[in-house]
Structures are given as structure tokens and as C-alpha cells.
Amino acid sequence: MSDTAQRTPAKLQLLELLAAIGTAQWRDFAAAAAHHGLTSTQARVLAQLDGPLPMRGLAALLVCDASNVTGIVDRLEARDLVRREPDPADRRVKNVVATDAGREVIRRVREEMQVTHGALDTLDETESATLYALLERLRPTMEKDA
């Protein structure tokens, strides 16, 4: 067996490593969200709102029933972190939009993810650029059916 073959991880090893890193990152995200009085799901909703997003679109991203999203959005709206707006193309559709306060709180949640920041700080500039390029290459395929 060549040196290259010995160092090339099996697909299962890559999957296990991605799962472990994803779980650790999610735990860090949930802990930072809790410091701001948010559940991990509420924070995840805020993280998805780069622009207006229909309630059904949020349900699809969260992989849950639209009725669950209503309660989550109600609680975020009560804290003035999101607002509902009619969709300009179809006024029957309600879009969810992050408020300035919502964008600020999710920015702080991301800043406070100490475990994740610490792990990324162990990478030098070249490693960070390589990791970014690899993840960007995987992202379209991973999100295609999501």
C-alpha cells in the first residue's frame, strides 16, 4: 500500500468526522443562544434570515411542520427579533424578516461560540483558506436537496 493510500481517509471516516464536528458546533451554537434566552431552534431561525423568507420556507429549512414554525416565530416576534410581512408577489403568503435586534442577537451568538472559534484559531491562514475552499465545494451538493 502506498503512502497516499494510507493517508487517504475512507468515506466513512470523513462522514464520522463531519458528524462529530457538526455536533460539537451545534452544541456550541445552542449554548451561545441560551445566553441570549433563545432556544437553538429560535437561533437557527434567526441565522436563516438573510432576507425575507416565507413561513413554509422556514419549515422546509428546519425540517418541521409549518405549524411548529408559527409558534417559534410568535415567540421571536414577541421579543421584537423578527416581524411578519406580506409577500409582495402573493399577499396571502407571510414572510418572516429579522429585525435589527434579531440580526444583532444572532451576530452576538456567533461571536460567542468559544469552542468553535477556538478550534478555528488552531488553523493557520493557508489551512483556513483550504478548509473554506473545500467546504464551499461541498456546500452546493449538500444543500441541493435540502
Side-chain angles (χ1 to χ4, degrees):
M1 192 183 265
S2 73
D3 284 345
T4 304
Q6 289 174 333
R7 286 183 286 183
T8 302
K11 197 179 293 183
L12 181 58
Q13 290 172 301
L14 291 171
L15 289 170
E16 289 172 352
L17 188 56
L18 282 171
I21 289 170
T23 298
Q25 188 271 341
W26 180 250
R27 216 176 13 249
D28 196 22
F29 181 77
H35 284 125
H36 294 277
L38 297 170
T39 66
S40 55
T41 303
Q42 289 170 337
R44 189 168 169 217
V45 165
L46 288 174
Q48 299 295 326
L49 294 176
D50 290 332
L53 194 59
M55 296 280 283
R56 288 204 181 280
L58 270 175
L61 286 171
L62 298 173
V63 192
C64 70
D65 191 73
S67 63
N68 293 340
V69 173
T70 300
I72 296 164
V73 170
D74 285 347
R75 288 184 285 284
L76 289 170
E77 196 170 36
R79 290 186 55 188
D80 193 35
L81 299 176
V82 301
R83 68 178 178 276
R84 290 178 174 98
E85 296 179 345
D87 188 294
D90 183 349
R91 300 194 61 77
R92 295 169 298 174
V93 174
K94 296 295 182 203
N95 287 328
V96 181
V97 179
T99 63
D100 289 342
R103 284 187 290 278
E104 175 61 18
V105 77
I106 197 61
R107 184 193 63 75
R108 290 193 328 235
V109 165
R110 288 176 172 145
E111 274 184 1
E112 294 171 15
M113 295 173 63
Q114 298 303 313
V115 173
T116 305
H117 285 280
L120 292 172
D121 287 344
T122 67
L123 303 176
D124 65 28
E125 286 182 24
T126 301
E127 291 168 330
S128 290
T130 300
L131 178 61
Y132 185 85
L134 291 170
L135 293 173
E136 277 291 305
R137 192 164 142 204
L138 292 175
R139 186 177 187 173
T141 305
M142 297 291 293
E143 290 182 341
K144 181 176 58 176
D145 295 326

